[in-house]
Protein backbone atom coordinates (compact mmCIF):
# COMPACT_ATOMS: atom_id res chain seq x y z
CA UNK A 1 0.00 0.00 0.00
CA UNK A 2 1.20 3.48 -0.80
CA UNK A 3 1.45 5.76 2.25
CA UNK A 4 1.52 9.46 1.43
CA UNK A 5 2.53 12.08 3.97
CA UNK A 6 1.25 15.62 3.63
CA UNK A 7 2.13 18.81 5.46
CA UNK A 8 0.45 21.86 3.92
CA UNK A 9 0.27 20.84 0.31
CA UNK A 10 3.43 18.72 0.01
CA UNK A 11 2.93 14.96 -0.41
CA UNK A 12 5.66 12.35 -0.26
CA UNK A 13 4.90 8.85 -1.53
CA UNK A 14 6.64 6.60 0.98
CA UNK A 15 6.05 3.49 -1.09
CA UNK A 16 8.33 4.94 -3.77
CA UNK A 17 10.85 6.33 -1.33
CA UNK A 18 11.93 3.58 1.07
CA UNK A 19 14.58 5.78 2.63
CA UNK A 20 11.97 8.19 3.90
CA UNK A 21 9.73 5.30 4.90
CA UNK A 22 12.48 3.86 7.09
CA UNK A 23 13.42 7.26 8.42
CA UNK A 24 9.88 8.08 9.50
CA UNK A 25 8.99 4.64 10.84
CA UNK A 26 8.66 4.90 14.63
CA UNK A 27 9.13 8.68 14.59
CA UNK A 28 5.49 9.71 14.42
CA UNK A 29 5.13 12.93 16.28
CA UNK A 30 6.35 12.03 19.77
CA UNK A 31 3.56 10.15 21.56
CA UNK A 32 2.17 10.02 25.07
CA UNK A 33 1.89 6.27 25.79
CA UNK A 34 -0.60 4.18 27.77
CA UNK A 35 -1.29 0.42 28.05
CA UNK A 36 -2.76 -1.59 25.12
CA UNK A 37 -2.47 0.49 21.97
CA UNK A 38 -3.67 -0.30 18.46
CA UNK A 39 -1.01 2.02 17.07
CA UNK A 40 1.86 1.21 19.39
CA UNK A 41 4.78 -0.98 18.54
CA UNK A 42 6.11 -3.86 20.57
CA UNK A 43 9.78 -3.98 21.43
CA UNK A 44 12.17 -5.80 23.74
CA UNK A 45 11.36 -3.54 26.66
CA UNK A 46 7.79 -4.67 27.28
CA UNK A 47 4.19 -5.06 26.07
CA UNK A 48 2.25 -2.86 23.70
CA UNK A 49 1.43 0.65 24.90
CA UNK A 50 -1.22 3.12 23.77
CA UNK A 51 0.31 6.03 21.89
CA UNK A 52 -1.44 9.38 21.66
CA UNK A 53 0.38 11.66 19.19
CA UNK A 54 1.05 15.16 20.49
CA UNK A 55 -1.09 16.75 17.77
CA UNK A 56 -4.13 15.03 19.34
CA UNK A 57 -3.30 16.68 22.65
CA UNK A 58 -2.86 19.98 20.79
CA UNK A 59 -6.32 19.53 19.29
CA UNK A 60 -7.92 19.03 22.70
CA UNK A 61 -6.26 22.19 24.00
CA UNK A 62 -7.36 24.13 20.89
CA UNK A 63 -10.95 23.08 21.51
CA UNK A 64 -10.64 24.20 25.13
CA UNK A 65 -9.34 27.62 24.02
CA UNK A 66 -12.14 27.87 21.43
CA UNK A 67 -14.74 27.22 24.12
CA UNK A 68 -13.27 29.89 26.39
CA UNK A 69 -12.90 32.47 23.61
CA UNK A 70 -16.51 31.93 22.61
CA UNK A 71 -17.56 33.04 26.09
CA UNK A 72 -15.43 36.19 26.10
CA UNK A 73 -17.12 39.56 25.86
CA UNK A 74 -14.85 41.29 23.35
CA UNK A 75 -17.38 43.97 22.45
CA UNK A 76 -19.00 42.18 19.51
CA UNK A 77 -20.12 38.57 19.31
CA UNK A 78 -18.78 38.11 15.79
CA UNK A 79 -15.22 38.59 17.04
CA UNK A 80 -15.48 35.78 19.56
CA UNK A 81 -17.15 33.51 17.02
CA UNK A 82 -14.50 34.05 14.37
CA UNK A 83 -11.65 33.48 16.84
CA UNK A 84 -13.37 30.38 18.24
CA UNK A 85 -13.69 29.02 14.68
CA UNK A 86 -9.99 29.75 14.19
CA UNK A 87 -9.01 27.56 17.13
CA UNK A 88 -11.48 24.92 15.94
CA UNK A 89 -9.65 24.90 12.59
CA UNK A 90 -6.35 24.48 14.42
CA UNK A 91 -7.90 21.59 16.35
CA UNK A 92 -9.11 19.92 13.16
CA UNK A 93 -5.70 20.30 11.51
CA UNK A 94 -3.98 18.83 14.56
CA UNK A 95 -6.36 15.86 14.61
CA UNK A 96 -5.77 15.19 10.90
CA UNK A 97 -2.00 15.36 11.33
CA UNK A 98 -2.20 13.07 14.36
CA UNK A 99 -4.42 10.55 12.61
CA UNK A 100 -2.20 10.43 9.53
CA UNK A 101 1.20 10.38 11.14
CA UNK A 102 0.23 8.54 14.31
CA UNK A 103 -2.36 6.05 13.04
CA UNK A 104 -1.84 5.93 9.27
CA UNK A 105 -5.32 7.28 8.41
CA UNK A 106 -5.10 8.63 4.84
CA UNK A 107 -8.73 9.09 3.82
CA UNK A 108 -8.99 12.64 5.20
CA UNK A 109 -5.96 13.97 3.34
CA UNK A 110 -8.02 16.26 1.03
CA UNK A 111 -9.54 17.99 4.05
CA UNK A 112 -6.10 18.50 5.55
CA UNK A 113 -5.06 20.37 2.39
CA UNK A 114 -8.18 22.58 2.46
CA UNK A 115 -8.08 23.91 6.01
CA UNK A 116 -4.88 26.05 5.83
CA UNK A 117 -6.50 28.39 3.31
CA UNK A 118 -9.15 29.32 5.89
CA UNK A 119 -6.71 30.14 8.71
CA UNK A 120 -5.73 33.62 7.50
CA UNK A 121 -9.24 34.82 6.52
CA UNK A 122 -10.88 33.68 9.76
CA UNK A 123 -8.07 35.15 11.88
CA UNK A 124 -8.25 38.49 10.08
CA UNK A 125 -12.05 38.67 10.20
CA UNK A 126 -11.97 38.06 13.95
CA UNK A 127 -10.09 41.32 14.50
CA UNK A 128 -11.68 43.21 11.61
CA UNK A 129 -15.11 42.62 13.16
CA UNK A 130 -14.08 44.96 15.98
CA UNK A 131 -13.08 47.74 13.58
CA UNK A 132 -15.87 48.03 10.99
CA UNK A 133 -19.63 48.28 10.83
CA UNK A 134 -21.84 45.20 10.42
CA UNK A 135 -22.57 45.69 6.74
CA UNK A 136 -18.89 46.22 5.97
CA UNK A 137 -18.05 43.09 7.96
CA UNK A 138 -20.62 41.05 6.04
CA UNK A 139 -19.11 42.14 2.73
CA UNK A 140 -15.60 41.45 3.99
CA UNK A 141 -16.57 37.97 5.22
CA UNK A 142 -18.15 37.15 1.88
CA UNK A 143 -15.06 38.35 0.03
CA UNK A 144 -12.38 36.68 2.16
CA UNK A 145 -14.13 33.40 2.90
CA UNK A 146 -15.45 33.20 -0.64
CA UNK A 147 -11.92 33.61 -1.97
CA UNK A 148 -10.72 30.79 0.29
CA UNK A 149 -13.49 28.51 -0.99
CA UNK A 150 -12.65 29.43 -4.58
CA UNK A 151 -8.95 28.75 -4.11
CA UNK A 152 -9.72 25.37 -2.55
CA UNK A 153 -11.90 24.55 -5.54
CA UNK A 154 -9.14 25.49 -7.96
CA UNK A 155 -6.33 23.57 -6.24
CA UNK A 156 -8.59 20.52 -5.94
CA UNK A 157 -8.87 20.20 -9.74
CA UNK A 158 -7.16 17.05 -11.06
CA UNK A 159 -4.80 18.89 -13.40
CA UNK A 160 -3.58 21.32 -10.70
CA UNK A 161 -0.33 20.16 -9.13
CA UNK A 162 0.57 20.13 -5.45
CA UNK A 163 2.95 23.03 -5.97
CA UNK A 164 -0.08 25.21 -6.74
CA UNK A 165 -1.53 24.29 -3.34
CA UNK A 166 1.75 25.26 -1.69
CA UNK A 167 1.79 28.60 -3.49
CA UNK A 168 -1.83 29.30 -2.57
CA UNK A 169 -1.19 28.57 1.12
CA UNK A 170 2.01 30.64 1.21
CA UNK A 171 0.30 33.52 -0.59
CA UNK A 172 -2.63 33.39 1.82
CA UNK A 173 -0.37 33.46 4.89
CA UNK A 174 1.67 36.36 3.52
CA UNK A 175 -1.40 38.40 2.53
CA UNK A 176 -3.10 38.07 5.91
CA UNK A 177 0.16 38.58 7.77
CA UNK A 178 0.37 41.98 6.05
CA UNK A 179 -3.32 42.73 6.62
CA UNK A 180 -3.03 42.01 10.35
CA UNK A 181 0.05 44.21 10.68
CA UNK A 182 -1.72 47.09 8.93
CA UNK A 183 -4.70 46.75 11.28
CA UNK A 184 -2.37 46.46 14.28
CA UNK A 185 -0.47 49.63 13.38
CA UNK A 186 -3.71 51.62 13.59
CA UNK A 187 -3.68 50.97 17.34
CA UNK A 188 -6.45 50.30 19.88
CA UNK A 189 -8.52 53.25 18.66
CA UNK A 190 -9.10 51.47 15.37
CA UNK A 191 -11.05 48.79 17.25
CA UNK A 192 -14.08 50.99 17.76
CA UNK A 193 -16.37 48.07 18.62
CA UNK A 194 -14.02 46.52 21.17
CA UNK A 195 -14.55 46.91 24.88
CA UNK A 196 -12.57 49.93 25.97
CA UNK A 197 -10.82 48.11 28.80
CA UNK A 198 -9.45 45.29 26.63
CA UNK A 199 -8.71 47.13 23.37
CA UNK A 200 -4.96 47.30 24.21
CA UNK A 201 -4.97 43.54 24.89
CA UNK A 202 -6.58 42.91 21.52
CA UNK A 203 -3.88 44.86 19.67
CA UNK A 204 -1.31 42.61 21.32
CA UNK A 205 -3.38 39.61 20.25
CA UNK A 206 -3.24 40.91 16.68
CA UNK A 207 0.54 41.15 16.81
CA UNK A 208 0.73 37.65 18.28
CA UNK A 209 -1.60 36.35 15.57
CA UNK A 210 0.62 37.87 12.88
CA UNK A 211 3.63 36.25 14.54
CA UNK A 212 1.82 32.91 14.62
CA UNK A 213 1.15 33.11 10.88
CA UNK A 214 4.83 33.86 10.29
CA UNK A 215 5.89 30.88 12.41
CA UNK A 216 3.45 28.55 10.64
CA UNK A 217 4.73 29.77 7.28
CA UNK A 218 8.35 29.17 8.24
CA UNK A 219 7.54 25.77 9.74
CA UNK A 220 5.61 24.61 6.68
CA UNK A 221 8.41 25.75 4.41
CA UNK A 222 11.08 24.01 6.48
CA UNK A 223 9.10 20.76 6.61
CA UNK A 224 8.41 20.84 2.88
CA UNK A 225 12.11 21.39 2.14
CA UNK A 226 13.07 18.55 4.47
CA UNK A 227 10.75 16.19 2.63
CA UNK A 228 12.01 17.47 -0.72
CA UNK A 229 15.64 16.61 0.09
CA UNK A 230 14.74 13.24 1.57
CA UNK A 231 15.23 14.09 5.25
CA UNK A 232 11.98 12.62 6.51
CA UNK A 233 13.32 12.10 10.03
CA UNK A 234 14.08 15.77 10.41
CA UNK A 235 10.62 16.69 9.10
CA UNK A 236 8.94 14.37 11.61
CA UNK A 237 10.95 15.93 14.41
CA UNK A 238 9.96 19.41 13.26
CA UNK A 239 6.31 18.43 13.40
CA UNK A 240 6.89 16.98 16.85
CA UNK A 241 8.67 20.08 18.14
CA UNK A 242 6.06 22.32 16.54
CA UNK A 243 3.33 20.42 18.39
CA UNK A 244 5.17 20.86 21.69
CA UNK A 245 5.57 24.60 21.09
CA UNK A 246 1.87 24.87 20.19
CA UNK A 247 0.91 23.02 23.37
CA UNK A 248 3.01 25.44 25.43
CA UNK A 249 1.40 28.45 23.71
CA UNK A 250 -2.09 27.02 24.24
CA UNK A 251 -1.43 26.41 27.93
CA UNK A 252 -0.22 30.00 28.34
CA UNK A 253 -3.30 31.23 26.47
CA UNK A 254 -5.63 29.21 28.67
CA UNK A 255 -3.90 30.59 31.76
CA UNK A 256 -4.27 34.20 30.58
CA UNK A 257 -7.86 34.10 29.32
CA UNK A 258 -9.56 33.96 32.76
CA UNK A 259 -8.25 37.45 33.55
CA UNK A 260 -10.04 38.79 30.45
CA UNK A 261 -13.20 36.91 31.39
CA UNK A 262 -13.08 38.45 34.85
CA UNK A 263 -12.60 41.96 33.43
CA UNK A 264 -15.66 44.05 32.83
CA UNK A 265 -16.24 47.15 30.73
CA UNK A 266 -15.08 50.35 32.39
CA UNK A 267 -18.09 51.74 34.15
CA UNK A 268 -18.63 54.42 36.74
CA UNK A 269 -21.36 54.24 39.31
CA UNK A 270 -23.91 56.90 38.43
CA UNK A 271 -26.85 57.23 40.84
CA UNK A 272 -30.18 57.46 39.05
CA UNK A 273 -31.48 59.98 41.51
CA UNK A 274 -28.80 62.51 40.52
CA UNK A 275 -29.17 63.20 36.78
CA UNK A 276 -26.85 66.20 36.93
CA UNK A 277 -24.10 64.17 38.61
CA UNK A 278 -24.63 61.42 36.06
CA UNK A 279 -24.15 63.88 33.18
CA UNK A 280 -21.09 65.39 34.86
CA UNK A 281 -19.48 61.96 35.16
CA UNK A 282 -20.17 61.19 31.50
CA UNK A 283 -18.57 64.50 30.47
CA UNK A 284 -15.56 63.72 32.69
CA UNK A 285 -15.22 60.24 31.18
CA UNK A 286 -15.36 61.71 27.67
CA UNK A 287 -12.75 64.33 28.51
CA UNK A 288 -10.45 61.74 30.10
CA UNK A 289 -10.76 59.43 27.09
CA UNK A 290 -9.97 62.18 24.58
CA UNK A 291 -7.04 63.47 26.63
CA UNK A 292 -5.54 60.05 27.27
CA UNK A 293 -5.86 58.64 23.75
CA UNK A 294 -5.63 61.72 21.54
CA UNK A 295 -8.68 60.39 19.74
CA UNK A 296 -9.72 63.94 18.79
CA UNK A 297 -6.79 64.09 16.32
CA UNK A 298 -8.57 61.57 14.13
CA UNK A 299 -10.54 63.57 11.53
CA UNK A 300 -12.95 60.63 11.12
CA UNK A 301 -14.00 60.65 14.76
CA UNK A 302 -17.78 60.68 15.01
CA UNK A 303 -20.34 60.98 17.79
CA UNK A 304 -21.24 57.33 17.22
CA UNK A 305 -17.65 56.18 17.58
CA UNK A 306 -17.03 58.25 20.71
CA UNK A 307 -20.23 56.91 22.27
CA UNK A 308 -19.18 53.33 21.50
CA UNK A 309 -15.80 53.88 23.12
CA UNK A 310 -17.57 55.10 26.23
CA UNK A 311 -20.16 52.28 26.05
CA UNK A 312 -23.01 54.79 26.04
CA UNK A 313 -26.00 55.47 23.80
CA UNK A 314 -25.38 58.41 21.49
CA UNK A 315 -28.32 60.37 22.85
CA UNK A 316 -27.10 59.99 26.41
CA UNK A 317 -23.62 61.23 25.51
CA UNK A 318 -25.00 64.18 23.50
CA UNK A 319 -27.39 65.19 26.27
CA UNK A 320 -24.66 65.02 28.93
CA UNK A 321 -22.16 67.10 26.93
CA UNK A 322 -24.81 69.67 26.08
CA UNK A 323 -25.95 69.90 29.71
CA UNK A 324 -22.49 70.16 31.30
CA UNK A 325 -20.41 71.87 28.61
CA UNK A 326 -23.10 73.93 26.91
CA UNK A 327 -22.01 72.75 23.43
CA UNK A 328 -22.75 69.81 21.18
CA UNK A 329 -20.38 66.86 20.90
CA UNK A 330 -18.74 68.12 17.71
CA UNK A 331 -17.92 71.46 19.31
CA UNK A 332 -16.73 69.63 22.44
CA UNK A 333 -14.27 67.55 20.38
CA UNK A 334 -13.24 70.60 18.36
CA UNK A 335 -12.25 72.29 21.61
CA UNK A 336 -9.49 69.72 22.03
CA UNK A 337 -8.46 70.13 18.42
CA UNK A 338 -8.33 73.91 18.69
CA UNK A 339 -6.21 73.76 21.84
CA UNK A 340 -3.81 71.46 20.02
CA UNK A 341 -3.73 73.82 17.01
CA UNK A 342 -3.09 76.81 19.27
CA UNK A 343 -0.13 75.03 20.86
CA UNK A 344 1.31 74.31 17.42
CA UNK A 345 0.75 77.90 16.27
CA UNK A 346 2.68 79.17 19.27
CA UNK A 347 5.47 76.62 19.20
CA UNK A 348 6.12 75.58 15.59
CA UNK A 349 6.89 77.10 12.21
CA UNK A 350 4.53 74.78 10.32
CA UNK A 351 2.05 76.37 7.95
CA UNK A 352 -1.50 76.99 9.11
CA UNK A 353 -2.73 74.41 6.60
CA UNK A 354 -0.39 71.78 8.00
CA UNK A 355 -1.36 72.59 11.57
CA UNK A 356 -5.01 72.35 10.59
CA UNK A 357 -4.45 68.81 9.26
CA UNK A 358 -2.34 67.79 12.27
CA UNK A 359 -5.11 68.91 14.62
CA UNK A 360 -7.85 66.73 13.13
CA UNK A 361 -9.70 69.22 10.93
CA UNK A 362 -10.73 68.20 7.44
CA UNK A 363 -11.67 71.55 5.92
CA UNK A 364 -10.12 75.01 6.06
CA UNK A 365 -13.49 76.73 6.41
CA UNK A 366 -14.47 74.70 9.48
CA UNK A 367 -11.07 75.22 11.08
CA UNK A 368 -11.12 79.00 10.59
CA UNK A 369 -14.73 79.30 11.68
CA UNK A 370 -14.23 77.31 14.89
CA UNK A 371 -10.91 78.94 15.70
CA UNK A 372 -12.39 82.40 15.30
CA UNK A 373 -15.40 81.45 17.40
CA UNK A 374 -13.25 80.29 20.31
CA UNK A 375 -10.23 82.63 20.14
CA UNK A 376 -11.85 85.69 18.58
CA UNK A 377 -9.31 85.93 15.77
CA UNK A 378 -7.99 83.96 12.80
CA UNK A 379 -5.19 81.42 13.24
CA UNK A 380 -2.72 83.70 11.41
CA UNK A 381 -3.61 86.65 13.65
CA UNK A 382 -3.30 84.44 16.72
CA UNK A 383 0.17 83.35 15.65
CA UNK A 384 1.59 86.87 15.23
CA UNK A 385 1.03 88.21 18.77
CA UNK A 386 2.01 84.81 20.19
CA UNK A 387 5.39 85.17 18.51
Amino acid sequence: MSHVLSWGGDDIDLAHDPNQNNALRGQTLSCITFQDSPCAKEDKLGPQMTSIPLPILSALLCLAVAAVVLRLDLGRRAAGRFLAVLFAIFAAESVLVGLRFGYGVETLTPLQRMLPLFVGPVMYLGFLSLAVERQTLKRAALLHLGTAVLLNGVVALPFVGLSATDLAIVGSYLFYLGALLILWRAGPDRLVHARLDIAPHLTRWMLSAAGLLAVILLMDTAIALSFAVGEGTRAARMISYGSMVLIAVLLITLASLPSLMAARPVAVSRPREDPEGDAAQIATDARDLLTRTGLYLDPDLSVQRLARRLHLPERRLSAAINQIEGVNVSQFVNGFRLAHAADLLRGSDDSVARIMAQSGFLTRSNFYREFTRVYGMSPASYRRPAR
Side-chain angles (χ1 to χ4, degrees):
M1 177 182 294
S2 172
H3 293 279
V4 180
L5 295 181
S6 174
W7 183 260
D10 294 279
D11 286 6
I12 303 297
D13 192 337
L14 299 183
H16 296 129
D17 195 340
N19 292 329
Q20 287 193 19
N21 195 6
N22 293 331
L24 287 171
R25 193 178 302 280
Q27 303 242 8
T28 53
L29 305 181
S30 298
C31 295
I32 298 176
T33 55
F34 301 92
Q35 192 94 26
D36 299 327
S37 167
C39 69
K41 59 181 181 178
E42 190 171 337
D43 55 27
K44 298 179 181 179
L45 298 179
Q48 284 190 331
M49 304 290 286
T50 297
S51 297
I52 300 181
L54 289 180
I56 302 298
L57 179 57
S58 302
L60 295 175
L61 289 174
C62 283
L63 290 177
V65 173
V68 175
V69 169
L70 196 58
R71 296 175 55 195
L72 286 178
D73 176 16
L74 301 177
R76 177 177 273 179
R77 287 186 179 182
R81 290 170 180 170
F82 276 121
L83 294 177
V85 170
L86 173 67
F87 282 101
I89 291 175
F90 286 150
E93 287 190 294
S94 296
V95 168
L96 294 174
V97 170
L99 289 176
R100 294 195 65 196
F101 290 0
Y103 297 91
V105 177
E106 303 287 342
T107 56
L108 299 176
T109 300
L111 180 59
Q112 184 186 341
R113 298 194 190 112
M114 294 172 60
L115 290 177
L117 286 172
F118 288 98
V119 170
V122 172
M123 183 183 289
Y124 177 65
L125 289 169
F127 294 105
L128 185 68
S129 63
L130 297 170
V132 298
E133 301 301 325
R134 294 185 187 277
Q135 290 302 318
T136 304
L137 177 62
K138 289 180 180 179
R139 291 193 296 269
L142 182 62
L143 173 63
H144 293 281
L145 295 178
T147 301
V149 171
L150 180 62
L151 285 175
N152 271 307
V154 171
V155 298
L157 295 174
F159 57 83
V160 177
L162 292 174
S163 59
T165 303
D166 292 336
L167 291 176
I169 293 173
V170 169
S172 176
Y173 286 164
L174 288 175
F175 176 83
Y176 288 104
L177 174 60
L180 284 169
L181 290 176
I182 291 173
L183 190 58
W184 167 76
R185 287 190 63 184
D189 290 334
R190 182 70 176 87
L191 306 179
V192 296
H193 296 286
R195 276 173 39 193
L196 186 61
D197 56 324
I198 65 171
H201 294 284
L202 291 171
T203 56
R204 290 193 288 271
W205 281 20
M206 267 194 288
L207 189 59
S208 300
L212 179 60
L213 277 183
V215 170
I216 293 174
L217 177 60
L218 292 174
M219 181 69 73
D220 280 2
T221 302
I223 291 172
L225 290 175
S226 296
F227 277 135
V229 298
E231 296 183 357
T233 300
R234 179 176 297 179
R237 288 175 180 172
M238 287 181 185
I239 299 172
S240 210
Y241 296 151
S243 296
M244 288 187 282
V245 170
L246 178 59
I247 288 172
V249 170
L250 291 170
L251 289 173
I252 294 173
T253 302
L254 280 173
S256 63
L257 285 178
S259 62
L260 288 181
M261 295 182 67
R264 290 293 182 268
V266 175
V268 180
S269 177
R270 302 180 178 116
R272 291 184 180 179
E273 63 274 11
D274 183 12
E276 186 173 347
D278 181 69
Q281 186 60 61
I282 291 175
T284 298
D285 291 346
R287 185 176 294 278
D288 290 344
L289 173 64
L290 292 171
T291 302
R292 185 179 69 256
T293 64
L295 196 59
Y296 57 89
L297 296 176
D298 185 352
D300 295 324
L301 179 63
S302 63
V303 178
Q304 294 85 355
R305 181 179 171 193
L306 183 59
R308 283 195 298 265
R309 292 302 304 268
L310 291 166
H311 300 280
L312 292 170
E314 296 170 30
R315 291 182 180 179
R316 189 176 181 188
L317 173 62
S318 298
I321 296 298
N322 185 268
Q323 178 182 345
I324 300 301
E325 303 291 339
V327 295
N328 60 36
V329 176
S330 295
Q331 291 172 329
F332 177 69
V333 172
N334 280 342
F336 290 86
R337 292 170 173 166
L338 292 170
H340 184 266
D343 288 340
L344 293 179
L345 287 169
R346 290 193 302 267
S348 76
D349 294 323
D350 290 339
S351 66
V352 174
R354 182 174 177 83
I355 289 174
M356 177 198 78
Q358 291 175 340
S359 301
F361 287 94
L362 284 174
T363 64
R364 176 185 175 90
S365 60
N366 186 39
F367 175 54
Y368 272 74
R369 182 178 62 252
E370 289 296 298
F371 198 95
T372 302
R373 179 181 65 83
V374 173
Y375 290 95
M377 63 183 73
S378 69
S381 300
Y382 179 87
R383 167 174 268 177
R384 282 195 293 271
R387 288 184 171 179

